[in-house]
Amino acid sequence: MNYQWYPGHMTKAIRMMQENIKLIDIIIELTDARIPASGRNPDIDDLGKNKYRLVILNKSDLADPSVTKKWQEYFSDGKTFVMEMNSKTGNEASKVKDLVQKACAEKIERDKKRGIVGRPIRAMVAGIPNVGKSTFINKLAGRASAKTGNKPGVTKGKQWISLGKNMQLLDTPGILWPKFEDETVGLHLALIGSMNDENLDVCELACELIKILEVNYKNAIPDKYGITDEQVEELENEQYATHYSAILSAIAVNRKCFKQGAEPDINRAAALLLDDFRNGKLGRISLERP
């Protein structure tokens, strides 16, 4: 499957970010803790070459904690500050503000020497679609300042949000990049929901997820859906061309997803599997490692 999705508003969003970067002191980049590398837009690196950086491994409550720790070590290069966060609880909001102050300490000191005191730090919040930027901003602000939604493309234009006297945030739309050189990047983005599912084959996508889970989290599907190796083997021998479609069929049977005539509905099973993965119902799972 070709995993590409680049609607027209993303070109406009990149242009808007380029126009506003001169106003910015620090870029706060959110990436999904389940795919920290695939979830980082290379355009943001180009955009923020001379800016302070804070990388937030968001949705850490959905990712494998031992893997997330390795990613924190991987991204911490002395210039980039890194932390993990669950934006839904917002318990780490104060740590974000402290890290921004720490990252911009040199700039704050420079301003003081010039007699500039009390100028708020201006931060651009950036990331891929559906990574949780608006929820993150609302937790930091302590109010509903940005629109949220569990699908890509909710934020369409820029929004400035004031966090008291010390900090201003520029919310930006989620942006992908026009072409993925590595197809695995596109696959990972599709799996976490950063692309529109209407443009994807959910059965094929679910089969790719099963492949990944069988390598590192082999009990995730059997434990969640109560399927057995014998059940899958029987279905595979009966009618299903692949091992993965047989697993989808077993999920359909056990969750009573049937078409007319009692035929297992593997499309519904595929959609169920993807939803359960995205919502953390299969356990804490990371799709890639440093």
Side-chain angles (χ1 to χ4, degrees), residues 17-241:
M17 292 168 74
Q18 290 168 340
E19 289 168 358
N20 285 277
I21 194 68
K22 61 183 177 291
L23 305 173
I24 299 301
D25 301 309
I26 182 171
I27 294 179
I28 301 175
E29 182 186 2
L30 272 68
T31 186
D32 192 298
R34 294 167 294 181
I35 57 161
S38 296
R40 295 192 72 196
N41 188 332
D43 290 341
I44 295 173
D45 277 340
D46 291 337
L47 195 67
K49 277 179 183 174
N50 301 312
K51 302 296 177 181
Y52 301 112
R53 301 294 297 273
L54 170 58
V55 173
I56 293 181
L57 303 171
N58 200 32
K59 304 188 180 182
S60 61
D61 55 309
L62 302 177
D64 186 327
S66 62
V67 179
T68 300
K69 187 176 180 182
K70 291 176 183 176
W71 278 113
Q72 281 188 279
E73 294 167 358
Y74 177 82
F75 285 131
S76 298
D77 60 4
K79 296 178 181 178
T80 302
F81 288 79
V82 186
M83 64 173 284
E84 63 178 271
M85 185 171 183
N86 171 5
S87 286
K88 286 186 178 177
T89 64
N91 295 334
E92 306 91 343
S94 60
K95 185 180 177 183
V96 173
K97 295 176 184 178
D98 290 342
L99 275 180
V100 168
Q101 292 285 329
K102 192 174 179 181
C104 296
E106 184 185 348
K107 178 257 176 201
I108 294 168
E109 189 59 35
R110 195 165 58 241
D111 281 353
K112 280 182 183 176
K113 288 179 180 177
R114 293 174 180 169
I116 303 169
V117 181
R119 178 184 175 274
I121 293 169
R122 288 177 171 171
M124 178 184 284
V125 181
I128 59 173
N130 203 30
V131 76
K133 293 187 305 300
S134 297
T135 302
F136 164 77
I137 286 171
N138 291 341
K139 291 298 181 185
L140 245 59
R143 62 187 187 277
S145 302
K147 294 178 182 177
T148 64
N150 191 25
K151 61 179 181 179
V154 173
T155 304
K156 296 293 186 183
K158 70 175 181 180
Q159 302 178 72
W160 279 102
I161 294 107
S162 179
L163 304 183
K165 296 178 181 179
N166 297 326
M167 195 170 167
Q168 292 177 345
L169 294 181
L170 175 61
D171 186 16
T172 60
I175 51 169
L176 295 176
W177 47 114
K179 184 173 175 57
F180 307 128
E181 300 299 332
D182 183 353
E183 193 175 300
T184 304
V185 170
L187 169 62
H188 287 168
L189 290 167
L191 284 170
I192 66 161
S194 288
M195 297 182 190
N196 193 331
D197 281 346
E198 291 174 7
N199 300 322
L200 302 168
D201 183 328
V202 292
C203 274
E204 190 173 332
L205 191 59
C207 286
E208 292 294 339
L209 176 60
I210 294 168
K211 286 181 191 178
I212 295 170
L213 294 179
E214 286 194 334
V215 173
N216 294 311
Y217 305 96
K218 62 182 180 180
N219 293 323
I221 290 176
D223 287 351
K224 176 64 180 173
Y225 303 107
I227 65 176
T228 63
D229 291 342
E230 291 76 19
Q231 182 185 16
V232 172
E233 190 176 338
E234 185 179 337
L235 286 164
E236 196 173 343
N237 291 336
E238 275 181 19
Q239 52 185 319
Y240 291 93

